């Protein structure tokens, strides 16, 4: 059974616009967090992803990094962000880094970046994805989508 973190990750991506719409997808992923309760003082967002698409309509998304945001609050120490991730998601990322320049999307608040293994796969042929002609290969560019 997937962890609560992976369940939230899958729920977020199941509702996100498809890779064919990169601008809409980017806006969605900057606006909507993994947390179901928006009243929490922290929110976790998918920051970077790698998308692999097949000609058959399957898509595989691998998370590269996440952001944890202190929503509308002051900048905090690394340990406070880490404590939240441990309490909320049972995560203990070694690479948790406080980002000091700028606020999260649309002044959401100060944030920290971290990596965690998370993969989402959707094999529905009705998904709107671009085609490479290679059912087993990555998307047209083979580069991560940002």
């Amino acid at each position: 059974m997937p962890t609560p973190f992976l369940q939230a990750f899958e729920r977020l991506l199941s509702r996100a616009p498809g890779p064919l719409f990169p601008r809409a997808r980017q806006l969605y992923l900057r606006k909507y967090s993994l947390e179901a309760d928006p009243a929490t003082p922290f929110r976790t967002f998918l920051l970077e992803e790698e998308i692999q698409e097949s000609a058959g309509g399957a898509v595989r998304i691998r998370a590269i990094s996440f952001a944890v945001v202190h929503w509308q609050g002051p900048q905090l120490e690394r340990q406070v962000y880490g404590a939240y991730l441990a309490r909320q998601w049972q995560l203990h990322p070694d690479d948790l880094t406080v980002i000091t320049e700028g606020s999260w999307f649309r002044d959401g608040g100060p944030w920290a970046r971290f990596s965690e293994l998370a993969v989402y796969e959707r094999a529905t042929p009705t998904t709107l994805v671009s085609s490479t002609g290679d059912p087993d290969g990555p998307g047209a560019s083979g580069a991560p989508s940002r």
Side-chain angles (χ1 to χ4, degrees):
M1 175 157 188
T3 66
F5 179 77
L6 291 178
Q7 289 174 337
F9 175 73
E10 290 173 3
R11 183 176 52 249
L12 175 75
L13 291 184
S14 71
R15 297 174 180 160
L20 186 60
F21 307 101
R23 183 165 164 74
R25 183 175 183 82
Q26 189 75 349
L27 289 172
Y28 181 92
L29 293 176
R30 294 298 176 264
K31 182 177 179 181
Y32 295 102
S33 68
L34 274 65
E35 285 80 6
D37 179 12
T40 179
F42 291 93
R43 298 184 189 170
T44 311
F45 296 88
L46 177 59
L47 180 60
E48 291 180 276
E49 63 187 344
E50 177 181 77
I51 301 172
Q52 295 176 325
E53 308 165 44
S54 74
V59 66
R60 182 174 198 248
I61 300 165
R62 184 180 66 84
I64 296 173
S65 63
F66 291 88
V68 58
V69 180
H70 185 210
W71 200 255
Q72 302 294 314
Q75 183 63 271
L76 301 170
E77 298 293 321
R78 179 184 182 276
Q79 297 84 342
V80 179
Y81 291 103
Y84 171 76
L85 293 172
R87 184 177 61 254
Q88 175 70 25
W89 304 117
Q90 293 73 48
L91 299 178
H92 304 279
D94 293 331
D95 65 342
L96 181 62
T97 305
V98 173
I99 307 300
T100 56
E101 60 274 347
S103 179
W104 183 250
F105 178 72
R106 296 187 180 165
D107 294 324
W111 59 288
R113 176 187 182 119
F114 68 97
S115 300
E116 184 63 31
L117 178 62
V119 176
Y120 173 78
E121 294 179 334
R122 182 169 51 199
T124 57
T126 57
T127 303
L128 294 175
V129 294
S130 62
S131 174
T132 64
D134 177 6
D136 298 322
S141 70
S145 174
R146 301 205 198 266

